[in-house]
Amino acid sequence: MEIKVVQNSKDVQADILVVSMFEGGQTTSELANKYALGEDNFKGKFSETYLLQTYGKEPYKKVMVLGLGKKEEFCPNKLREAVAKAIKKAMQMEAKTVSFSLDEIDFDYSEQFAMGALIADYKFDKYKSEKKDNKVKEVYVQANEDIIRKAEKIAAAMTFTRNIANEPAQFATPTELAAIACDLGLETKVYDREECEKMGMGAFLAVGRGSAEEPKFIHMKYYVDNPKKRIAIIGKGICFDSGGLDLKPASSMLTMKDDMSGAAAVLGIMSVIREFHPQVEVHGIIAACENMPGQYAYKPGDILTAKNGKTIEVDNTDAEGRLTLADALCYACELGVDEVIDMATLTGACMVALGTQAAGIMGNDDELVKNLISTAERNGERYWELPMWDEYFDSLKSDIADMKNTGSRWGGASTAGVFLKKFVKDVKWAHIDIAGTAFLEKPQKELIAGASGAGVRTLLNYILEQ
Ligand code: BES
Ligand code: MN
Ligand code: ZN
């Protein structure tokens, strides 16, 4: 899809002209006012649409009235969702060109307008032998050109991420993630098993041992002169989570190719970072491996030593993400960065608590957590702070090691948080649990089912706002 900025969107010869309408209000199209409101009693409820033919009387073939809902509830987030709805509708009708005339929408809305159109434009059909070409090719709008171009880059990053996370585990292996990282044109170092051993990453390597796939520790670097800040972003990179010897039941295993969604988000962000040339140094870090129950698999009761020397008794091999993140966090802290942010499909408990509408967030710095929550809110994601009180560590106490990797079933997202905290040193840190938001079973707002690109829009905007 290409978004073209025009002076007057009503002059464009398009398949569809979209005009908007608040509940109980009017549109800017006389035709629409006459037929939609007058004859058919269209109310303009949020994201409802109404279509009418122009029979050659206008430059556009059809008019789509897009309901924006109650005026007092309207905001950029609502616009994004509604625009996505209009694009989906246009796709159903196989319209190729759509012009938007949204007069009540000012400058501040340009970014979310574009995000809505571009996110709706996504599909994952590479494994369909018959592909339907029902994409909208051109969108016309009166908007701010620079903001539209910014949104295009963020949306491209999301698409990049969604493609990787939707890819089956047979293809999206640790080796493949490393190859993708190396292709981004950034300075990138990939550590193999032996090098990770030398670095003392006993927790990460234990998780990968049960798989025939080689583990890869990936470090991408974006440098600028005199950075205002130095940030490391870490993505959980479990390319498939079978649970290991504590094998998952079939129904829980079904979507576990998505357990590298955090890693996919880091790759998406790093794939566009240079185009924005932010004055921030950014490190993208992924500890990639599979959690499988092969003959060399790590076992319940094993004691692992992480990079910082702490020992961990394996209580459950299905709590593997925190083990890989433990070593990744130690590595990131040693870089001497100002902030570390990790994104991980970490706990079913987080999904139980917040559903698919919000990711859980925790951290050791209030300002960082608050900033991320508000950046998410402005950009179409929701982050909700969960507690990370020291008491949650009680259930992780081990008789024979420094800690266990799991404890009580209750408050599982917070327990995972306090576990991770043991591997964070002298740095501001936030942990984002995207277990519920990274991979959708059903369409939700502007997103179709499957990988959602969770974390990408928020973290990119966060980096750009520094
Ligand atoms: N990858 C899962 C968490 C997950 C669950 C992500 C559902 C997305 C959807 C993680 O590795 C896991 O298995 N967590 C366990 C932890 C438990 C053993 C303490 C869980 O949540 O059940
Ligand atoms: Mn697991
Ligand atoms: Zn997992």
Side-chain angles (χ1 to χ4, degrees), residues 393-441:
F393 191 75
D394 291 349
S395 73
L396 292 177
K397 285 185 180 144
S398 163
D399 292 333
I400 56 171
D402 297 338
M403 67 195 90
K404 298 189 291 181
N405 73 331
T406 59
S408 158
R409 215 160 88 70
W410 314 119
S414 294
T415 315
V418 291
F419 178 92
L420 294 179
K421 199 176 173 194
K422 298 288 174 194
F423 303 90
V424 175
K425 206 179 149 197
D426 302 332
V427 74
K428 293 176 182 175
W429 160 67
H431 156 60
I432 306 167
D433 193 331
I434 55 173
T437 55
F439 201 87
L440 301 170
E441 256 170 58

Side-chain angles (χ1 to χ4, degrees), residues 305-452:
T305 306
K307 193 173 189 308
N308 64 356
K310 295 226 159 91
T311 56
I312 308 158
E313 184 184 2
V314 177
D315 186 71
N316 189 318
T317 63
D318 198 11
E320 83 299 335
R322 61 196 74 182
L323 297 171
T324 62
L325 289 170
D327 281 333
L329 284 165
C330 293
Y331 179 94
C333 291
E334 286 175 19
L335 298 173
V337 292
D338 304 301
E339 295 173 0
V340 174
I341 304 168
D342 76 74
M343 292 175 282
T345 47
L346 202 61
T347 66
C350 185
M351 195 172 180
V352 170
L354 301 175
T356 60
Q357 297 293 342
I361 185 168
M362 286 156 254
N364 62 5
D365 185 81
D366 238 19
E367 198 186 323
L368 173 61
V369 170
K370 295 275 172 320
N371 275 340
L372 285 166
I373 290 172
S374 89
T375 308
E377 169 60 31
R378 280 180 277 115
N379 291 285
E381 289 196 272
R382 282 194 175 120
Y383 292 173
W384 195 262
E385 188 170 6
L386 298 173
M388 205 177 51
W389 297 307
D390 290 342
E391 287 82 351
Y392 285 107
F393 191 75
D394 291 349
S395 73
L396 292 177
K397 285 185 180 144
S398 163
D399 292 333
I400 56 171
D402 297 338
M403 67 195 90
K404 298 189 291 181
N405 73 331
T406 59
S408 158
R409 215 160 88 70
W410 314 119
S414 294
T415 315
V418 291
F419 178 92
L420 294 179
K421 199 176 173 194
K422 298 288 174 194
F423 303 90
V424 175
K425 206 179 149 197
D426 302 332
V427 74
K428 293 176 182 175
W429 160 67
H431 156 60
I432 306 167
D433 193 331
I434 55 173
T437 55
F439 201 87
L440 301 170
E441 256 170 58
K442 299 189 303 226
Q444 182 173 296
K445 297 189 174 169
E446 63 270 25
L447 299 162
I448 55 170
S452 67

Side-chain angles (χ1 to χ4, degrees), residues 160-330:
F160 195 89
T161 293
R162 294 166 90 184
N163 283 340
I164 298 171
N166 276 324
E167 194 67 39
Q170 79 201 104
F171 302 123
T173 59
T175 303
E176 177 60 19
L177 296 192
I180 293 170
C182 290
D183 271 356
L184 297 179
L186 296 164
E187 186 185 326
T188 297
K189 168 75 189 158
V190 177
Y191 301 89
D192 63 14
R193 188 193 300 268
E194 233 172 78
E195 289 169 298
C196 291
E197 241 157 51
K198 284 201 192 109
M199 290 192 289
M201 296 185 164
F204 165 50
L205 287 176
V207 173
R209 271 210 317 261
S211 168
E213 293 292 339
E214 284 295 312
K216 301 285 175 193
F217 190 94
I218 305 162
H219 179 187
M220 295 155 270
K221 305 160 196 181
Y222 166 79
Y223 290 119
V224 276
D225 290 336
N226 308 314
K228 286 193 206 142
K229 205 183 239 183
R230 306 169 74 209
I231 303 179
I233 54 175
I234 303 177
K236 174 175 169 180
I238 300 296
C239 292
F240 189 74
D241 183 9
S242 71
L245 286 170
D246 288 303
L247 199 66
K248 286 181 183 294
S251 61
S252 310
M253 207 190 292
L254 198 55
T255 56
M256 282 301 133
K257 70 170 185 183
D258 83 328
D259 215 15
M260 34 63 85
S261 296
V266 169
L267 288 168
I269 292 163
M270 298 310 283
S271 76
V272 298
I273 192 89
R274 275 187 317 176
E275 294 178 44
F276 289 108
H277 31 82
Q279 295 301 301
V280 184
E281 185 173 306
V282 185
H283 298 264
I285 295 166
I286 299 166
C289 68
E290 277 186 343
N291 186 22
M292 297 290 281
Q295 62 177 328
Y296 300 113
Y298 77 132
K299 307 168 193 76
D302 282 358
I303 294 178
L304 318 176
T305 306
K307 193 173 189 308
N308 64 356
K310 295 226 159 91
T311 56
I312 308 158
E313 184 184 2
V314 177
D315 186 71
N316 189 318
T317 63
D318 198 11
E320 83 299 335
R322 61 196 74 182
L323 297 171
T324 62
L325 289 170
D327 281 333
L329 284 165
C330 293

